[in-house]
Amino acid sequence: MNSKELKINKEEKLEILEIKFRYWMGIAEVFAPIFIQSIPAALTLVSIGVLFPALLHIDPWLAWSIAAFVAIGMELLGLVSVDVYFASKTFNQTRKDDEGKAPEGAALLVMMVYAVTALLIVVLLKMFPSLAIWSLIPLTLMSILIVSAVTMKKRLSELISVRDKEVAKKELQEIADSMLQKLQEKVATEELHNKKLQEIVANQKLQIEKLQEEVAQTKKLQQEKVAENNATHAITQGNPKLQQEKVANTKVAKNNSLQKVADYLAQNCNGVATNEIDHAKVAIDLQLHRTTVTRNIEKLQEVAKLNGYVNKELLIN
């Protein structure tokens, strides 16, 4: 084993020793008050068992029985009085305005009276045996002190119980508030999601209505065109002169429609890319067939009136 391993081994043993020491010190801290408190109780037990048979003219077993009860009572009274005092003091230091006050002053008084009484009993029984009969007075006082200490202990337990209930209630309220907040956030998120869906549906409906209007307009133009062609065909059928006039009028109409498209693009679409021109909108605005608009735009491209973008100067000149 090298020096490094030896050092680690020693440190681990030292840590284990410290842990064991703290463990046994904890046990000692628990039982030390009981052992210290048992000293006056043991002295009183022996003194009563020895002195009271002759002093009170009673049997030894009865005297020792009384001594046992007195010793146990002194032990419990000392523990309870000290515990109630310090517990009451701690509670009052942390109490809130809406909480009741623990009996700190009364607990201190009981603890002090107990100390004086226990000391007086020991003095009368051990130091002045001739005055042992007078020890019955502080022994009687012990019963009053133990009842007072137990009553204060009960009052303190009630205050602590109320505090614990309030703390538990507050924790439950915080949990409920947290859950409610999360639920509200979830509901708000769902509402926002539903609102977005409604907006999307509304936009889809608007686009569908617009498309339906364009289809209806196109259909109307087609029907008018077919009716016009049928009427013209019926009039000019069998009349060469009228047919020639029809051809001439058709050319003029085509030229007029080309000029309309050019003027419309110059006024409304200057700077717009050629492939971004809405042919359906142009057809609706000019009351022309969409195919006618498309054909005229292609003609404008062929004659360099449209060169990738709509240029107002090129279309006008």
Side-chain angles (χ1 to χ4, degrees), residues 4 76 95 103-104 119 129 138 141 175 205 211 240 242 280 282 295:
K4 185 176 181 181
L76 293 177
R95 68 183 288 269
E104 179 182 350
L119 179 62
L141 181 61
I175 294 174
K205 288 183 177 179
L211 183 60
L242 290 178
V282 176
R295 185 171 58 250

Side-chain angles (χ1 to χ4, degrees), residues 100-137:
K101 188 175 182 181
E104 179 182 350
L108 177 61
L109 178 61
V110 169
M111 186 176 66
M112 297 303 295
V113 172
Y114 160 76
V116 174
T117 304
L119 179 62
L120 182 60
I121 291 173
V122 173
V123 168
L124 292 175
L125 292 176
K126 299 301 293 182
M127 298 181 66
F128 302 98
S130 60
L131 301 176
I133 190 65
W134 292 94
S135 64
L136 294 175
I137 296 175

Side-chain angles (χ1 to χ4, degrees), residues 85-284:
Y85 168 68
F86 285 104
S88 299
K89 186 176 182 179
T90 302
F91 181 87
N92 289 333
Q93 289 175 346
T94 59
R95 68 183 288 269
K96 299 179 181 179
D97 295 336
D98 57 344
E99 291 181 332
K101 188 175 182 181
E104 179 182 350
L108 177 61
L109 178 61
V110 169
M111 186 176 66
M112 297 303 295
V113 172
Y114 160 76
V116 174
T117 304
L119 179 62
L120 182 60
I121 291 173
V122 173
V123 168
L124 292 175
L125 292 176
K126 299 301 293 182
M127 298 181 66
F128 302 98
S130 60
L131 301 176
I133 190 65
W134 292 94
S135 64
L136 294 175
I137 296 175
L139 286 174
T140 304
L141 181 61
M142 284 285 185
S143 62
I144 300 175
L145 294 178
I146 191 66
V147 172
S148 301
V150 171
T151 302
M152 287 185 289
K153 180 70 174 178
K154 182 179 179 182
R155 171 59 179 164
L156 179 60
S157 298
E158 291 176 352
L159 293 173
I160 294 175
S161 177
V162 171
R163 172 181 287 185
D164 292 341
K165 289 181 180 179
E166 290 295 329
V167 172
K169 182 179 179 181
K170 184 177 180 181
E171 291 177 353
L172 290 175
Q173 185 64 36
E174 290 177 354
I175 294 174
D177 292 341
S178 177
M179 294 178 64
L180 179 61
Q181 183 178 1
K182 291 181 179 179
L183 182 61
Q184 290 175 346
E185 292 176 355
K186 185 176 181 181
V187 171
T189 303
E190 292 294 335
E191 290 179 352
L192 181 61
H193 182 66
N194 292 335
K195 184 177 180 180
K196 290 182 178 180
L197 288 177
Q198 291 175 356
E199 291 177 354
I200 294 173
V201 172
N203 291 333
Q204 293 291 338
K205 288 183 177 179
L206 184 62
Q207 292 179 2
I208 292 173
E209 291 176 356
K210 183 178 180 181
L211 183 60
Q212 289 175 346
E213 291 178 358
E214 293 178 356
V215 171
Q217 186 67 27
T218 302
K219 186 176 181 179
K220 181 179 179 182
L221 291 175
Q222 289 177 348
Q223 291 175 351
E224 291 178 353
K225 187 68 176 178
V226 170
E228 182 181 355
N229 291 336
N230 292 335
T232 304
H233 180 71
I235 294 173
T236 59
Q237 189 174 10
N239 192 335
K241 185 177 181 181
L242 290 178
Q243 290 180 353
Q244 292 175 357
E245 291 178 358
K246 178 184 176 183
V247 172
N249 291 333
T250 302
K251 291 182 179 180
V252 172
K254 288 183 179 179
N255 292 333
N256 290 337
S257 64
L258 179 64
Q259 188 61 40
K260 284 183 179 181
V261 172
D263 293 340
Y264 180 88
L265 295 178
Q267 294 176 3
N268 300 285
C269 301
N270 187 34
V272 178
T274 306
N275 56 1
E276 294 180 359
I277 297 174
D278 191 349
H279 294 191
K281 185 176 185 306
V282 176
I284 293 173

